[in-house]
Amino acid sequence: MIGRLRSSGNLLAAVALAAAWCALWGEATLGNIVAGLGLGLALIAVFGPPSKPGVRIVPLVALAGAIMRDLVESTVAVAREVLTPTDYTDERYVTVALGEVGRRHLLLIASAVTLTPGTAVVDVDDSTGAVVLHLLHGHREPDTVAHVHRLAELADHAFPSGVAR
C-alpha cells in the first residue's frame, strides 16, 4: 500500500484532492490543508492512484477555443438572421454518428453544440454515440457534421479515456 504513495503523480493527486477538500470547506486553513492531504493520501493508499488518462491541458485549451469561436461565429450569424428582413433559414434535422469516441464524451459534445446559437441537440443515443441536431441553416450541414466530429476528436484528446484506439 505504501508503494502507491511514492509516485510524484500520486502526490499531485493528493494535493488536488486537498484543494478540493479546502474548496468544499470554503477556506484554505492549515487544518483543512492537512486534513485534505491526509484524506487524499489515505484514499490513494486504499483505492489506488487516479486513472492514468487525466486531462491534457493543450488539447483542452484547443477545445475551449473551438467552442468560443463557435459561440462568436454562430451568434453573429443568428443576429444577422434576426436583423435582416429576408428569412434565410433552412431548418433541418441531421443525425451525426460519432461512434465510440462520441460515446465517451457525449455530454460534453452535446453541451458544446447546444450552447451555439442556431444549432440544438434534440436527441442523443448513448448506445451508438449519435446525436440528432436541429440546424437553423441546413445548407451548412456538411460543415456542421465535420465540426461536430472535430469537437469529439478534441474532447477525446483533452480527456483521454485510456481506451485503445
Side-chain angles (χ1 to χ4, degrees), residues 96 140-152:
V96 182
R140 298 201 53 201
E141 179 180 339
D143 293 336
T144 303
V145 170
H147 186 68
V148 172
H149 280 282
R150 177 74 179 132
L151 287 176

Side-chain angles (χ1 to χ4, degrees), residues 58-150:
V58 173
L60 180 61
V61 170
L63 175 63
I67 293 170
M68 294 307 253
R69 188 183 74 243
D70 289 349
L71 286 170
V72 171
E73 288 176 358
S74 59
T75 299
V76 168
V78 170
R80 187 178 316 130
E81 183 68 44
V82 169
L83 295 174
T84 57
T86 307
D87 183 10
Y88 293 107
T89 58
D90 174 26
E91 297 180 53
R92 83 175 56 150
Y93 294 93
V94 60
T95 300
V96 182
L98 296 170
E100 185 59 33
V101 171
R103 278 188 63 236
R104 290 193 298 261
H105 307 290
L106 206 51
L107 178 61
L108 175 61
I109 295 163
S111 298
V113 170
T114 299
L115 278 175
T116 57
T119 308
V121 175
V122 293
D123 194 19
V124 174
D125 184 353
D126 62 345
S127 65
T128 64
V131 292
V132 178
L133 306 176
H134 174 264
L135 305 179
L136 189 61
H137 299 105
H139 66 276
R140 298 201 53 201
E141 179 180 339
D143 293 336
T144 303
V145 170
H147 186 68
V148 172
H149 280 282
R150 177 74 179 132

